[in-house]
Amino acid sequence: MSENKAPFYITTAISYPNGRPHIGHAYEAIATDVMARFQRARGRDVRMVTGTDEHGLKMFQTARDQGRATIDLADEMSGYFREMYAKLNISYDNFMRTSDAAHHAASQAIWRAMAANGDLYLDRYEGWYSVRDEAFYDESELAEGEGGIRLSPQGTPVEWTVEESWFFRLSAYQDRLLALYRDQPDFIRPESRRNEVLRFVEGGLKDLSVSRTSFDWGVPVPGSPGHVMYVWVDALTTYLSGLGYPDTDGDFGKFWPANIHMIGKDIVRFHTVYWPAFLMSAGLPLPRQVFGHGFLLNRGEKMSKSLGNVVDPMALAEQFGVDPLRYYLLREVSFGQDGTYSAEAIVRTANADLANSFGNLAQRSLSMIFKNLDGILSSDYASHEDDRALMAIVHDACRNLLPREFEQLAFSVGIEEWLRAVFACNQYVDTQAPWALRKNDPERMRAVLMTLFQAVRALAIAIRPVVPAAADKLLDQMGIAATARDFDALDDADWFAALAASGFAVGQPVPLFPRLELPEGAGEA
């Protein structure tokens, strides 16, 4: 299949570190990482940017209540996100903190560009503000909670706020935004998110408050003492500062505009209304796509501290293994929709797909080569129609079907295509029965084992973006060079003959995916 080799830029949302990362942060980071690894394996030069959005009233108030400097709190909380990324094997290229000096420079540069375009003006803000959401809401968007408390659409308390503020002329961009959604239907995905945003913008846009004076923890507004940027101008600009903006050469010149902003569905409005309007005002190209994925539900329930069902992704990774967790989240959740998970489901999926199916296939294939052929590979075997049919299935799944689905972020569908090829290989083993051939037709046994070796290598390369550590461990055992583990390597017709001729011998294989056991009490409702 023809492939795009252009540079590729992908970002996660910029997480607000007012608490330790939860499984939702892990889910987004893993999905973004899989896409970044997949595009690298396609031969593209990739930049993946993530980071922490550390400014705003919440951080200021939390630090004040704890009697510590806000930057100290930010350092600590941002560190937890870095720790999670390291644990989950997230291959980011830049972790940008909004408290970094380089980010301040970028935010002030885009501010000046918007001001030069006449889109910023000073006025007085009176309205409903949610500290937790860092967002202002119109009266019509509010609901009434217990005790008459006003609540935002996210269910968070709002308070009436009055202060001097800089405003962005968002109302002037309604027609341009509607034209963007019409002309680039894939700008917002999935379709359900696009429809929500379209209805919001068609209802009319009001100018947006973009600075605060009630606290000083933020990026100072250029030429306006006492004002710091309202968090969304500051946070969204991370996608630019992560590439070195305002320097328009280097990474920014090569990778902007972003191919994908990967975000949760609860912040789609900020990324598909405010962000493109800011960029239009500043005269900068727009990102190609914003993908609003769904939430992860714990046994069907949304996670919340009050329910006591917030899950630490570090604990899950420690309990079940990083690769099994990564695999489960992309295999079982249809990306873009809400998904549910539980300890039982992780164990069931990891054991069925990874331990019993792919892991067992790799283990017994390499073990039989090691035991029956002294680990020796040979390319001069007589290939049968069954062998060629299996390799056609494997090649199609690994080279065409999985990549086609991953390109569209349909991870679960792509993995399903890959898994069908794994099942085909296991069926081939059972049908060919190389343990029986060893006695009555050793040459045929050798052909079957050589076919399996090639199939396992293709399957490992294809699934490597999802389970990178396990796939690399397997490919190491198979003598596959680190530079020959991308999709182009699957088109190399000479690799097997070259490996066999090199004198490489398969050693006693090491199991990839030990069977998981459900922790005591984990299956209880």
Side-chain angles (χ1 to χ4, degrees), residues 31 41 68 71 110 122 124 204 211 324 351 365 430 449 454 467 484 519:
R68 62 196 297 195
I71 187 62
I110 195 172
L122 196 61
R124 177 183 174 86
S211 78
N351 284 344
S365 297
D430 294 340
L449 295 182
Q454 294 170 76
V467 289

Side-chain angles (χ1 to χ4, degrees), residues 76-295:
E76 177 192 344
M77 303 310 289
S78 182
Y80 294 134
F81 282 81
R82 285 182 182 268
E83 183 183 350
M84 180 190 74
Y85 280 23
K87 179 72 172 179
L88 298 178
N89 204 2
I90 306 300
S91 60
Y92 63 85
D93 296 287
N94 194 0
F95 187 102
M96 177 60 67
R97 298 178 57 185
T98 58
S99 57
D100 289 345
H103 177 73
H104 281 225
S107 300
Q108 291 175 332
I110 195 172
W111 183 283
R112 291 188 182 98
M114 294 190 294
N117 200 43
D119 285 330
L120 297 174
Y121 63 92
L122 196 61
D123 204 340
R124 177 183 174 86
Y125 181 82
E126 295 187 24
W128 296 103
Y129 182 73
S130 165
V131 175
R132 197 176 305 170
D133 297 346
E134 297 285 5
F136 292 103
Y137 293 103
D138 187 78
E139 180 84 31
S140 63
E141 297 180 90
L142 303 182
E144 189 168 317
E146 292 183 10
I149 296 175
R150 297 294 188 90
L151 300 176
S152 76
Q154 310 299 333
T156 58
V158 296
E159 55 190 41
W160 187 257
T161 302
V162 179
E163 65 182 297
E164 183 182 68
S165 175
W166 284 93
F167 283 79
F168 174 75
R169 297 185 195 278
L170 184 64
S171 58
Y173 286 87
Q174 180 173 345
D175 290 343
R176 288 181 66 180
L177 288 169
L178 291 173
L180 167 66
Y181 310 148
R182 180 192 68 231
D183 298 341
Q184 298 182 39
D186 279 347
F187 176 72
I188 307 172
R189 288 185 63 211
E191 181 72 14
S192 58
R193 314 278 185 258
R194 179 177 179 272
N195 293 336
E196 292 168 8
V197 171
L198 196 58
R199 286 193 296 270
F200 174 75
V201 176
E202 286 173 343
L205 295 176
K206 297 181 179 179
D207 289 352
L208 187 67
S209 171
V210 289
S211 78
R212 305 296 304 275
T213 57
S214 54
F215 57 94
D216 61 3
W217 173 242
V219 179
V221 171
S224 189
H227 284 260
V228 293
M229 293 183 196
Y230 167 52
V231 68
W232 282 104
V233 178
D234 169 10
L236 291 163
T237 303
T238 308
Y239 304 133
L240 304 180
S241 62
L243 291 177
Y245 179 84
D247 177 4
T248 54
D249 297 324
D251 274 2
F252 184 81
K254 182 175 183 179
F255 290 98
W256 188 261
N259 295 80
I260 302 173
H261 290 317
M262 202 85 91
I263 61 167
K265 65 180 183 180
D266 54 332
I267 54 174
V268 166
R269 180 190 301 181
F270 306 109
H271 285 77
T272 59
V273 180
Y274 305 161
W275 181 226
F278 294 161
L279 292 169
M280 289 174 182
S281 176
L284 294 170
L286 305 186
R288 294 186 174 92
Q289 185 174 111
V290 176
F291 195 101
H293 62 77
F295 293 142

Side-chain angles (χ1 to χ4, degrees), residues 64 178 388-389 422:
R64 180 195 61 199
L178 291 173
R388 293 188 289 273
V422 173

